[in-house]
Amino acid sequence: KKLIAVGMDYTRVNLDLVKNGEIFGIVAQPLYDECKGSAELLFKMANGEKVPYWTVLEAPLVTKDNMDEFYGILDRLEPRYREAQNPDEAKAAPKVTGKFYWVQNSAWHPVHQLTQQSFLEGCSELGLECELATTDENATEAVVALADQTVSRPDAKGVAMWAGGLPVFKPIIEKAKANGVFIALPHFPVPEGTFADNAVQIAADTAKYPDPV
């Protein structure tokens, strides 16, 4: 029988596998559009504009026929990637005012760096002041503590969280609501009502991922 090998995430390594014919294709979780779109959602919410709870995106199948677009995203964003940093050696970020934040753990990971730079590109296009509030630690406890600190900042207008739909983020999003901070939740769709109504999500519908067979 012939086997069709399909991967996930359009990292350069994975795209090269498709290009070289080692795998058939990649399901392109819409990381760039989710994270760039998070900046736009926060901007609209902060300006009083109503947005839908779930901005549904497509997750296309990337093959040799349509891979140039995704190489283009990486060509633009990868030069901004950084090396992993020991959290114990990280310097405290300077205090600033009037910003939108991106909260995420495992920040060193290439896929996560793609999401961070996508968010910052969205901020740049909208003329927003934005900052990455990230940690290279992998533990959930680290990103939960970071999220709690970030929504408590007096300069925070909005926060995009890589929260994964975890219940542990509920009180943090409630705190954000009390502080007048809007929340965008990219990539991990959860039912409306899971979190407080200051939170919206932008993601593909995993039930509609392409079937390569």
Side-chain angles (χ1 to χ4, degrees):
K1 293 182 179 180
K2 184 177 181 180
L3 296 178
I4 298 177
V6 176
M8 187 79 74
D9 291 334
Y10 47 90
T11 59
R12 189 170 296 276
V13 170
N14 289 348
L15 288 175
D16 287 346
L17 290 174
V18 177
K19 183 179 180 180
N20 296 333
E22 296 180 59
I23 63 175
F24 174 73
I26 301 166
V27 176
Q29 299 184 101
L31 299 168
Y32 174 77
D33 296 306
E34 289 171 344
C35 305
K36 180 180 177 181
S38 294
E40 184 175 358
L41 286 172
L42 292 172
F43 173 71
K44 289 179 177 179
M45 294 166 73
N47 281 280
E49 185 174 338
K50 285 192 172 293
V51 299
Y53 169 67
W54 185 356
T55 300
V56 182
L57 303 175
E58 296 294 323
L61 181 67
V62 180
T63 66
K64 288 183 179 180
D65 295 331
N66 64 340
M67 63 194 318
D68 289 349
E69 172 189 352
F70 300 93
Y71 269 122
I73 292 172
L74 297 180
D75 289 343
R76 191 168 65 253
L77 300 185
E78 279 182 337
R80 309 174 201 166
Y81 287 12
R82 61 176 181 79
E83 296 295 326
Q85 184 177 35
N86 184 337
D88 295 332
E89 299 174 357
K91 296 179 180 179
K95 291 186 177 181
V96 292
T97 59
K99 286 194 173 181
F100 295 85
Y101 289 90
W102 177 266
V103 172
Q104 191 175 45
N105 61 344
S106 304
W108 59 270
H109 194 285
V111 171
H112 284 196
Q113 293 203 56
L114 189 157
T115 66
Q116 295 154 27
Q117 296 303 325
S118 300
F119 176 73
L120 291 177
E121 184 164 286
C123 290
S124 177
E125 290 184 5
L126 293 166
L128 304 179
E129 289 186 83
C130 295
E131 183 174 315
L132 301 179
T134 60
T135 175
D136 283 351
E137 292 187 56
N138 299 319
T140 300
E141 292 81 1
V143 72
V144 168
L146 186 59
D148 188 63
Q149 294 167 10
T150 304
V151 302
S152 301
R153 292 186 62 134
D155 63 350
K157 295 181 181 178
V159 177
M161 292 184 185
W162 200 254
L166 298 176
V168 70
F169 286 94
K170 284 187 176 182
I172 297 172
I173 295 175
E174 290 282 359
K175 178 186 284 189
K177 181 179 179 179
N179 292 344
V181 176
F182 300 102
I183 302 294
L185 302 170
H187 193 60
F188 304 97
V190 294
E192 188 169 3
T194 300
F195 297 113
D197 60 7
N198 60 320
V200 297
Q201 65 184 13
I202 178 168
D205 186 343
T206 55
K208 298 179 180 178
Y209 274 13
D211 185 350
V213 181

